[in-house]
Amino acid sequence: MQTYSATNGIRQTVPAAVAMRGAAALSRQESPKRLSGTRIVLARGDELFAENDDADFFYKVLSGTIRTYKLLSDGRRQIDAFHLAGDIFGLEPGATHRFSAEAVERCEVIAFRRCGFTTLAADDPALGDQLMSSMMVNLERAHDHMLLLGRKTAQEKIATFLLDMARRVSSSDSFELPMQRSDIADHLGLTIETVSRTLTQLAKDGIIKLASASRSVVLCDKAALQRLNA
Amino acid sequence: MQTYSATNGIRQTVPAAVAMRGAAALSRQESPKRLSGTRIVLARGDELFAENDDADFFYKVLSGTIRTYKLLSDGRRQIDAFHLAGDIFGLEPGATHRFSAEAVERCEVIAFRRCGFTTLAADDPALGDQLMSSMMVNLERAHDHMLLLGRKTAQEKIATFLLDMARRVSSSDSFELPMQRSDIADHLGLTIETVSRTLTQLAKDGIIKLASASRSVVLCDKAALQRLNA
DNA sequence: CGTATTGTTGATTGCAATCAATGAGAGTGG
DNA sequence: CCACTCTCATTGATTGCAATCAACAATACG
């Protein structure tokens, strides 16, 4: 069952409009010859799938940002990754998803029906390679992130995060963070207060600049950040 | 270049015997028809590969325990996984390994030469599925572990770890831990002192029993551990 | 313009890290 | 066989980083 987290924290059924949009796109675009996906548009906060949903599809981001996360029974959340344009996620070894996925901001994604991998690879070898490669990239990012979560200080976590986001969302050292402080906190294993304090401190030190809106960041001293990153 | 960590912490070239054994096995076992690997035997502490080594091979554990880990420049270590019999690891998106691998105890592994994935899958579809599946399992474990590292307390981390090890190394609730406290600490993002204290406390609470050698563990109250795990 | 949401800042607490010392085995050589 | 050493583990005292508690500011939104 598709659900999303409403702002009040209560889980509700996805608006019918979202489900319909998906279904319409499916019938319109599906082709027998080549693996093609269903285009889905998500608004900020919409849920794509939840933990324990059937994993009949996996996804590729066209635009926007998706967060995938797991929850503990008392509500503590760990965002294991932010998926940006081009990223593939949601491929599972079992029949159900082991984490949830939501739109951080307005997103377009393509849903691919999951099928036997070899059949798929035989049908389209390039896609097979791409999928395998994407799994390996996701795993590599997970390894890096485990090092961050297990062994880095708050300052080091923020420095790593900023460098990583700069590399992924922008060609320059100036960019807009797509997510809010609570998302950053739950990704880095911190609280929102610590995220805020640490960013403020880096700004005071002249290492970064924060705009008044505080979603836009300029990396003034990348070398200093990289020193915190090692 | 293959190296291993000597007990004094200085990295040395692998004993010629190990390298030779591998080479001999390779020429003896390699067959053009079916993908076959090189059997390698590792002693406790031997290094299989290091970060930035060429990733020409990936590995499957036959027996024993392998730890894969990353280091920060100042020596802080994060063990991202322990690999037990049947586990596959070391497959990389790039040309080099992004983490190191060492034997926690005496190990037998098979090294498979890495080659284009589709060629491989076309050659042996079952193996292709197995590889993809193993990547997905590794990624799933990584997700679970990120939740642990980012959001669980010391007690919860230990509880999760014990339940996981029990499931993987033993059919019963009584088993031997293959690794020492420092390995557990670097896997869970704790110090050895905290690992020790937490295990002692669980024993005092009657939830587990530790033998004098303190490597052997009995889970007396699995339900209590599972409560800490959720 | 008022309200809800998101972000910042300050005071204090608490969990796990650090510092320090001791204990328990395993292996070695006299 | 028994000191001796070395590694690994435990336990205690104290510190410190980030969490928690609390209040307020800024921004977005209907």
Side-chain angles (χ1 to χ4, degrees):
Chain A
M1 214 245 253
Q2 277 199 332
T3 58
Y4 76 98
S5 289
T7 49
N8 56 11
I10 298 170
R11 302 178 83 75
Q12 305 181 350
T13 304
V14 142
V18 171
M20 283 306 94
R21 216 180 302 147
L26 182 69
S27 53
R28 197 169 56 247
Q29 297 185 1
E30 209 169 35
S31 107
K33 178 70 182 166
R34 195 176 143 61
L35 185 90
S36 94
T38 303
R39 190 163 152 284
I40 299 175
V41 177
L42 297 164
R44 191 180 117 108
D46 280 354
E47 184 166 85
L48 189 56
F49 57 81
E51 213 172 319
N52 299 321
D53 278 358
D54 286 344
D56 296 330
F57 298 91
F58 63 93
Y59 304 87
K60 180 169 183 168
V61 180
L62 292 180
S63 70
T65 307
I66 297 280
R67 60 175 171 250
T68 53
Y69 64 91
K70 293 173 75 85
L71 294 174
L72 291 173
S73 51
D74 65 358
R76 278 173 287 172
R77 182 177 69 157
Q78 178 63 43
I79 294 178
D80 43 73
F82 295 110
H83 304 276
L84 309 182
D87 292 340
I88 292 171
F89 66 94
L91 208 45
E92 299 278 356
T96 58
H97 285 295
R98 305 301 306 153
F99 49 83
S100 308
E102 293 173 350
V104 169
E105 57 183 340
R106 194 192 133 82
C107 283
E108 295 170 290
V109 303
I110 303 189
F112 294 100
R113 183 169 290 281
R114 172 187 159 187
C115 47
F117 181 66
T118 45
T119 350
L120 194 152
D123 214 46
D124 185 343
L127 184 73
D129 272 347
Q130 200 193 335
L131 268 189
M132 192 65 182
S133 166
S134 119
M135 292 302 288
M136 293 192 286
V137 168
N138 283 342
L139 190 56
E140 188 179 344
R141 281 189 191 148
H143 284 153
D144 290 339
H145 204 60
M146 285 189 273
L147 177 63
L148 177 147
L149 290 171
R151 290 298 180 213
K152 291 189 182 180
T153 65
Q155 207 181 28
E156 291 166 342
K157 287 175 177 182
I158 294 287
T160 302
F161 175 72
L162 290 176
L163 287 170
D164 195 49
M165 287 306 293
R167 193 176 44 76
R168 291 175 68 198
V169 309
S170 162
S171 47
S172 80
D173 294 347
S174 168
F175 59 97
E176 203 77 14
L177 289 171
M179 74 292 288
Q180 59 190 41
R181 297 291 186 265
S182 62
D183 288 327
I184 299 175
D186 286 349
H187 184 48
L188 303 181
L190 299 170
T191 59
I192 54 172
E193 292 95 331
T194 298
V195 170
S196 179
R197 273 186 249 274
T198 307
L199 285 171
T200 302
Q201 189 56 50
L202 287 174
K204 276 180 185 164
D205 295 347
I207 294 173
I208 65 172
K209 262 211 274 289
L210 297 170
S212 59
S214 80
R215 286 285 186 94
S216 78
V217 181
V218 183
L219 308 187
C220 307
D221 189 350
K222 232 172 170 175
L225 287 176
Q226 259 138 7
R227 243 172 286 130
L228 287 173
N229 194 21
Chain B
M1 212 242 253
Q2 276 200 333
T3 57
Y4 76 97
S5 289
T7 49
N8 57 10
I10 298 170
R11 302 178 83 76
Q12 306 181 351
T13 304
V14 143
V18 171
M20 283 305 94
R21 216 181 301 145
L26 181 68
S27 53
R28 197 169 57 246
Q29 294 185 2
E30 210 169 33
S31 106
K33 179 72 183 165
R34 196 177 143 62
L35 185 90
S36 95
T38 303
R39 192 165 152 284
I40 299 176
V41 177
L42 297 166
R44 191 180 116 107
D46 280 355
E47 184 166 83
L48 187 57
F49 58 81
E51 213 172 320
N52 300 322
D53 278 358
D54 286 344
D56 296 331
F57 298 91
F58 63 92
Y59 303 88
K60 180 170 184 169
V61 180
L62 292 179
S63 69
T65 307
I66 296 281
R67 60 173 172 251
T68 52
Y69 65 92
K70 293 173 77 83
L71 294 175
L72 290 174
S73 51
D74 65 357
R76 279 173 288 172
R77 182 177 67 157
Q78 178 64 42
I79 295 178
D80 44 72
F82 294 111
H83 303 277
L84 309 182
D87 291 340
I88 291 171
F89 66 95
L91 208 45
E92 299 278 355
T96 58
H97 285 296
R98 305 302 306 153
F99 50 83
S100 309
E102 292 173 349
V104 169
E105 57 183 340
R106 194 192 133 81
C107 282
E108 295 171 290
V109 303
I110 303 188
F112 293 100
R113 184 169 287 281
R114 173 188 158 184
C115 46
F117 181 66
T118 45
T119 352
L120 195 153
D123 215 47
D124 185 343
L127 184 73
D129 273 346
Q130 200 193 334
L131 268 188
M132 192 65 183
S133 166
S134 120
M135 292 302 288
M136 292 192 286
V137 168
N138 283 343
L139 191 56
E140 188 179 344
R141 282 190 191 146
H143 283 152
D144 289 339
H145 204 59
M146 285 189 274
L147 177 63
L148 177 148
L149 290 171
R151 289 299 181 211
K152 290 189 182 181
T153 65
Q155 206 181 30
E156 291 166 341
K157 286 176 176 181
I158 294 287
T160 302
F161 175 71
L162 290 176
L163 286 170
D164 194 50
M165 287 305 294
R167 193 175 46 74
R168 291 175 67 197
V169 310
S170 162
S171 48
S172 79
D173 293 347
S174 169
F175 60 97
E176 204 77 13
L177 289 170
M179 74 293 288
Q180 58 191 41
R181 297 291 186 265
S182 62
D183 288 327
I184 300 174
D186 285 350
H187 184 49
L188 302 182
L190 299 170
T191 59
I192 54 171
E193 294 94 331
T194 299
V195 171
S196 179
R197 274 186 249 272
T198 307
L199 285 171
T200 302
Q201 190 55 50
L202 288 174
K204 276 180 185 163
D205 295 346
I207 294 173
I208 64 172
K209 261 210 275 289
L210 297 170
S212 59
S214 79
R215 287 286 186 95
S216 77
V217 181
V218 183
L219 308 187
C220 307
D221 189 349
K222 233 173 168 173
L225 288 176
Q226 259 138 9
R227 242 171 288 129
L228 287 172
N229 194 21

